[in-house]
Amino acid sequence: MPHPLVSVIVPNYCHAPYLQERLDSILGQTFREFELILLDDCSTDDSRTVLESYKNHPQVSHIVFNETNSGSTFRQWALGFGLAQGKYIWIAESDDVAEPAFLKKCIAELESDPACTLAYTNSIAIDSDSVPLPGRLHNRKPFRKEGRRFVIEKMFTGNAIYNASMAVFRKSALANVTEDYAKYRYCGDWLFWSRIALGGRVAYLAEPLNRFRQHHVKVSPRAEAEGLQFIEGKEVIETLFRLTGVSSAFRRAVIGRWLQRLERFGDTARPELFRRVQSLWLADYPHPKRLHCWRQLYHLLPRPFRR
């Protein structure tokens, strides 16, 4: 395919049990104008065999097997971006699954609005056997927001694009992304999606067109146990403060909320880890009780003072 509209990047590491279902869900999309870029980060399981079984498919444009592990999902993303020929990019994580209409509906949102840099959908969590897990779906109403408003409303309490598979973005928006996101183990995608969003508008589809797999080898639970959501998250939040230019009242409220979360983290974290993470935050924000109060008062402020 010489000029695909979409580049689908599948960065894989040791997800052989899920790869066939993942790839078949991509190749089964009702939207057909895409190339498929398969990347393997030196997997130690049977991933290579599964990936090579797709090498002759006409929509597979590249299969790259790393000889050594890159040590970073985000390095694999960057490799895929360099190979991508499409106007839009979908990072389809190798253990997830997409509904057949996922690409069609996301691309329709992006094509209808040249200023829209990011479209994402609701998700259903599934287990290792692809059985849906119980839990309430979030954000049941679709929306379209200016990027700055989206970041202010959705990204200061955490990463609203919590799974790359749920999003498609405009490749030209990569011009807004600096390489600082790649230095993080856990929070890099939070900063990446925020920068993509700030380049234009964001469309959200409330339909659960993505299936986000949960299993015992996921990176997120291990990273959270190490406190990376607070260690790296502090830097991401402070970067977003600078990028959005929010008011001091808003900043205090956000920090107050995160300090409350940090207290709850202390209930389950190892004492030495909690003390280290707490000292990192209190070095810059030494009055947590005052900030907790700001968080409560923030919602009473007239709207112009909030942002």
Side-chain angles (χ1 to χ4, degrees):
M1 183 178 294
H3 298 291
L5 190 62
V6 181
S7 295
V8 184
I9 300 169
V10 180
N12 175 68
Y13 178 67
C14 291
H15 281 158
Y18 315 115
L19 267 176
Q20 182 176 346
E21 184 180 16
R22 162 38 106 200
L23 297 178
D24 288 350
S25 80
I26 295 170
L27 295 171
Q29 291 293 299
T30 57
F31 181 91
R32 305 302 301 164
E33 297 178 54
F34 65 86
E35 65 171 340
L36 182 54
I37 299 169
L38 305 178
L39 308 175
D40 185 77
D41 203 9
C42 198
S43 293
T44 56
D45 64 2
D46 201 32
S47 290
R48 188 181 190 110
T49 300
V50 179
L51 292 170
E52 285 186 330
S53 71
Y54 290 84
K55 66 182 179 182
N56 294 322
H57 194 285
Q59 285 180 282
V60 175
S61 60
H62 299 84
I63 301 182
V64 180
F65 295 101
N66 286 353
E67 293 185 2
T68 58
N69 183 267
S70 71
S72 169
T73 297
F74 304 126
R75 290 195 186 100
Q76 290 296 91
W77 287 17
L79 175 60
F81 299 158
L83 297 172
Q85 302 176 70
K87 180 179 178 182
Y88 304 109
I89 293 177
W90 174 24
I91 304 169
E93 301 285 5
S94 56
D95 54 344
D96 297 325
V97 184
E99 296 297 323
F102 173 84
L103 265 184
K104 179 181 178 180
K105 295 194 174 185
C106 287
I107 297 304
E109 293 291 330
L110 291 159
E111 286 281 87
S112 68
D113 181 2
C116 185
T117 55
L118 172 63
Y120 74 107
T121 79
N122 212 332
S123 295
I124 292 175
I126 58 174
D127 67 14
S128 58
D129 297 316
S130 301
V131 176
L133 296 171
R136 199 165 68 90
L137 292 173
H138 299 287
N139 296 324
R140 292 180 179 272
K141 294 183 179 179
F143 61 74
R144 187 179 294 265
K145 299 178 186 287
E146 293 296 328
R148 180 177 179 271
R149 181 184 172 196
F150 170 80
V151 171
I152 289 172
E153 293 181 359
K154 302 291 185 181
M155 299 297 270
F156 275 104
T157 56
N159 185 8
I161 317 293
Y162 51 82
N163 175 218
S165 298
M166 69 200 296
V168 180
F169 68 94
R170 196 175 296 270
K171 184 181 179 183
S172 60
L174 287 172
N176 303 312
V177 178
T178 56
E179 294 183 358
D180 54 348
Y181 80 94
K183 71 181 180 180
Y184 298 114
R185 284 177 53 205
Y186 179 70
C187 294
D189 54 343
W190 182 5
L191 184 55
F192 177 88
W193 294 120
S194 296
R195 288 189 180 275
I196 292 288
L198 288 168
R201 283 192 280 271
V202 177
Y204 171 70
L205 294 83
E207 294 178 75
L209 300 175
N210 175 57
R211 292 179 176 254
F212 180 29
R213 195 179 303 275
Q214 307 297 302
H215 51 80
H216 69 283
V217 294
K218 297 290 282 188
V219 172
S220 297
R222 297 197 303 272
E224 289 172 3
E226 295 174 26
L228 293 185
Q229 70 272 38
F230 297 103
I231 297 169
E232 297 182 355
K234 177 177 178 290
E235 293 185 18
V236 171
I237 291 164
E238 290 167 346
T239 299
L240 296 184
F241 285 156
R242 293 193 296 272
L243 292 175
T244 55
V246 290
S247 68
S248 58
F250 183 88
R251 294 183 186 209
R252 293 186 186 109
V254 168
I255 295 301
R257 180 165 186 168
W258 276 93
L259 287 171
Q260 285 185 323
R261 287 184 176 180
L262 180 58
E263 288 180 0
R264 292 195 296 271
F265 175 68
D267 295 335
T268 57
R270 302 188 311 274
E272 67 277 10
L273 172 62
F274 175 67
R275 286 193 295 270
R276 179 164 61 88
V277 176
Q278 185 184 50
S279 65
L280 179 70
W281 280 77
L282 295 184
D284 291 324
Y285 308 107
H287 304 292
K289 291 184 179 179
R290 189 181 304 171
L291 290 166
H292 292 338
C293 292
W294 262 105
R295 183 196 169 198
Q296 300 300 321
L297 292 171
Y298 170 77
H299 297 287
L300 302 177
L301 292 171
R303 188 171 295 272
F305 290 95
R306 297 187 189 179
R307 298 167 191 167

